[in-house]
């Protein structure tokens, strides 16, 4: 009897446990299903493979490239109106080649873009021409650049990207990144209606420009203001030689004119923080007429003054420099001016950005999905290394060339400046080699060092001519020191090994060439 009672108790207890287990599991499943439904309802954007913050040149081009590879892309742009900028108005020949590799070359059509075949240089009453090299066996594309209104180009890229069904281009303001245990999961943003929304994706690309609000949450990289670009438009006019960028080596730095459309000319010059007339009270217009205009060659001066005389809006933009730094957080990458900036004297920002997009696209292409945060992190690290031979060369060229354009009362500095003008205007392999470097047609570190050394030697020869003197020797030593200062700190900051190690250069060339097959 005791045995039967014991068995009954055990069976009763077992039945209770089984019943409770079934109830618990069923209840948990119901809660999980309800929670999943709620999440799905609240986060309708969680099916994207990539979220891109910013639909400028980089964001739009990347969205198109990744969407062509089958990715679901969600692009969030703060302002979908046509931008009004005076930066990003010239695309080097190397940039045009990269644009074509992305399948976006037609975005330069229907925006009244103007062909540019090279530079027209002016210094101390002298004039020279430095064309992009036509015969370059290493450059398989038409060796010309394009000038255009930046906003028109951006709108064409946006149209091209949004034409693909797997690109969602939305106007909204990204407030913050969603982070979980060191991994960026997505973004929180306000849409056009003011509704706050969260969007999730395994990869977030921050491409929101030089004033990026999200950069500070990813790294402590800060941009350094070097100088200011001041510019305006002279309307309804055409340069005598519209196919050239007219670079005047004036004081305190360079002045430039170029045909930004078939009827408009961009006039721009560089000033420094200690010499900044006010725009609002008319001091800047007076400064242009009295100080800058007299240094502009007569054949360009009428057009240069036309915009000022007609009351054109004068704009001012800071020129910034910022080295590229990777974020330690996973699931996110910075691109464009949010990631890396250099002096705009060589107009290479868009070219570097398009190169970065080509590299990133190739590295991501083999992945069927982007859900593995560790794998994506390794790819981003590889991207950072592979981009170096090209980006570091262009960054160093930009910073060095900008210093050579600054006028100075120092005899050594002015000799270096004169040496740069003489080198570019000398013709032959010197002109073609340096223009290939500036135009992104041969962006190799060794080419950079080679040409800078030749400019230095040429400048020293000028200081020692016709006979060496103690003062000439002293100035030559100073000039040599200036050349080292232009080169070594930048090379060190960019990374010697990553720029010059053959494996990295080969990896970049592989990435550069492989994109045609994608």
């Amino acid at each position: 009897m005791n045995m039967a009672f014991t068995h009954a108790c055990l069976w009763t207890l077992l039945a209770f446990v089984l019943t409770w287990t079934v109830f618990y599991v069923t209840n948990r499943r119901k809660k999980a299903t309800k929670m999943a439904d709620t999440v799905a309802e609240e986060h309708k954007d969680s099916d994207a493979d990539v979220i891109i913050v910013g639909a400028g040149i980089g964001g739009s081009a990347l969205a198109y490239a990744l969407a062509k590879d089958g990715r679901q892309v969600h692009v969030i742009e703060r302002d979908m109106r046509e931008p009004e900028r005076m930066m990003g108005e010239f695309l080097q020949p190397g940039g045009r080649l990269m644009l074509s590799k992305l399948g976006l070359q037609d975005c330069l059509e229907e925006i009244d873009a103007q062909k540019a075949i090279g530079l027209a240089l002016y210094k101390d009453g002298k004039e020279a021409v430095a064309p992009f090299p036509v015969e370059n066996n290493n450059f398989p594309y038409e060796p010309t650049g394009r000038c255009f209104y930046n906003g028109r180009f951006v709108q064409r890229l946006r149209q091209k990207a949004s034409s693909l069904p797997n690109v969602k281009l939305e106007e909204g303001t990204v407030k913050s990144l969603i982070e979980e245990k060191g991994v960026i999961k997505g973004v929180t943003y306000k849409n056009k209606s003011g509704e706050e929304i969260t969007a999730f994706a395994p990869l977030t690309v921050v491409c929101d420009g030089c004033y990026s609000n999200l950069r500070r949450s990813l790294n402590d990289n800060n941009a350094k203001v070097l100088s200011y670009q001041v510019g305006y438009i002279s309307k309804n006019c055409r340069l005598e030689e519209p196919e050239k960028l007219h670079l005047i080596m004036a004081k305190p730095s360079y002045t430039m004119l170029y045909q930004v459309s078939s009827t408009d000319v961009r006039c721009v010059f560089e000033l420094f923080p200690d010499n900044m007339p006010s725009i609002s009270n008319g001091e800047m217009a007076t400064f242009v007429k009295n100080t800058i205009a007299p240094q502009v060659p007569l054949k360009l001066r009428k057009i240069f003054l036309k915009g000022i005389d007609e009351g054109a809006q004068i704009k001012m933009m800071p020129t910034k420099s910022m080295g590229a730094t990777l974020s330690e957080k996973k699931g996110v990458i910075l691109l464009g001016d949010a990631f890396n900036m250099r002096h705009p004297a060589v107009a290479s920002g868009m070219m570097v950005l398009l190169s970065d997009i080509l590299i990133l696209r190739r590295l991501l292409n083999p992945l069927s999905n982007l859900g593995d945060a560790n794998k994506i992190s390794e790819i981003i690290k590889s991207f950072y290394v592979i981009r170096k031979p090209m980006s570091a060369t262009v960054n160093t060229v930009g910073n060095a060339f900008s210093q050579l354009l600054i006028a100075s009362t120092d005899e050594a500095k002015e000799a270096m400046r004169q040496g740069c003008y003489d080198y570019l205007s000398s013709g032959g392999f010197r002109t073609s080699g340096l223009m290939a470097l500036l135009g992104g047609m041969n962006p190799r570190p060794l080419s950079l060092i080679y040409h800078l050394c030749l400019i230095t030697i040429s400048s020293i020869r000028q200081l020692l001519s016709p006979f060496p003197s103690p003062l000439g020797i002293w100035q030559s030593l100073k000039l040599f020191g200036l050349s080292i200062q232009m080169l070594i700190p930048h090379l060190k900051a960019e990374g010697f090994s990553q720029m010059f190690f053959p494996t990295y250069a080969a990896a970049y060339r592989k990435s550069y060439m492989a994109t045609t097959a994608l």
Side-chain angles (χ1 to χ4, degrees), residues 57 73 347 390:
I57 290 169
V73 184
M390 189 274 186

Side-chain angles (χ1 to χ4, degrees), residues 423-475:
Y423 192 87
L424 272 171
S425 60
S426 62
F429 76 93
R430 294 182 176 186
T431 300
S432 62
L434 187 52
M435 288 301 292
L437 186 64
L438 294 173
M441 302 164 69
N442 182 28
R444 299 184 180 184
L446 289 177
S447 179
L448 161 65
I449 293 175
Y450 173 76
H451 288 290
L452 187 57
C453 286
L454 287 184
I455 291 173
T456 302
I457 293 170
S458 175
S459 303
I460 290 174
R461 185 183 297 121
Q462 178 185 338
L463 285 172
L464 297 178
S465 179
F467 301 104
S469 66
L471 180 60
I473 293 171
W474 168 245
Q475 293 294 344

Side-chain angles (χ1 to χ4, degrees), residues 379-393:
I379 283 177
I380 292 173
K381 290 177 182 177
S382 296
F383 158 81
Y384 179 75
V385 172
I386 292 172
R387 72 185 292 273
K388 277 293 183 177
M390 189 274 186
S391 65
T393 300

Side-chain angles (χ1 to χ4, degrees), residues 109-302:
E109 300 172 1
E110 300 177 13
I111 62 171
D112 200 15
Q114 303 296 297
K115 179 188 288 189
I117 63 171
L119 292 173
L121 297 164
Y122 306 87
K123 187 178 187 296
D124 301 330
K126 296 180 179 180
E127 178 181 345
V129 176
F132 295 116
V134 176
E135 296 181 4
N136 189 329
N137 296 329
N138 296 319
F139 189 72
Y141 205 67
E142 182 193 18
T144 60
R146 291 292 184 274
C147 299
F148 45 77
Y149 276 110
N150 175 273
R152 295 178 185 177
F153 184 44
V154 169
Q155 292 299 85
R156 286 284 285 132
L157 288 169
R158 288 173 178 174
Q159 292 167 10
K160 186 85 170 181
S162 60
S163 68
L164 299 178
N166 47 336
V167 173
K168 179 182 179 182
L169 183 55
E170 180 180 10
E171 185 168 316
T173 302
V174 175
K175 296 295 185 180
S176 62
L177 300 170
I178 300 171
E179 183 179 350
E180 183 181 313
K181 297 180 180 178
V183 179
I184 301 301
K185 298 291 187 178
V187 300
T188 300
Y189 70 101
K190 279 191 176 182
N191 63 15
K192 196 173 182 180
S193 303
E195 180 185 6
E196 189 163 294
I197 300 174
T198 52
F200 295 90
L203 177 61
T204 300
V205 181
V206 176
C207 198
D208 55 348
C210 61
Y211 298 109
S212 175
N213 292 321
L214 301 178
R215 181 172 60 227
R216 69 191 66 175
S217 65
L218 296 173
N219 59 45
D220 57 358
N221 208 6
N222 293 314
K224 178 183 178 182
V225 176
L226 303 172
S227 60
Y228 291 88
Q229 298 280 307
V230 183
Y232 55 89
I233 292 290
S234 290
K235 290 185 173 294
N236 302 315
C237 56
R238 195 158 177 84
L239 293 166
E240 187 177 310
E241 297 176 288
E243 73 282 359
K244 296 172 185 173
L245 286 82
H246 298 264
L247 177 63
I248 304 146
M249 299 178 80
K251 298 175 181 179
S253 186
Y254 68 91
T255 298
M256 183 174 284
L257 290 83
Y258 52 90
Q259 199 77 42
V260 75
S261 75
S262 58
T263 59
D264 298 342
V265 173
R266 169 68 72 188
C267 305
V268 63
F269 54 93
E270 183 178 41
L271 291 179
F272 300 96
D274 58 349
N275 184 26
M276 292 298 298
S278 172
I279 294 176
S280 59
N281 65 9
E283 287 181 3
M284 184 66 77
T286 302
F287 177 82
V288 171
K289 290 182 178 181
N290 296 339
T291 304
I292 303 297
Q295 301 180 71
V296 175
L298 284 174
K299 70 176 185 179
L300 303 173
R301 196 175 300 170
K302 183 178 179 180

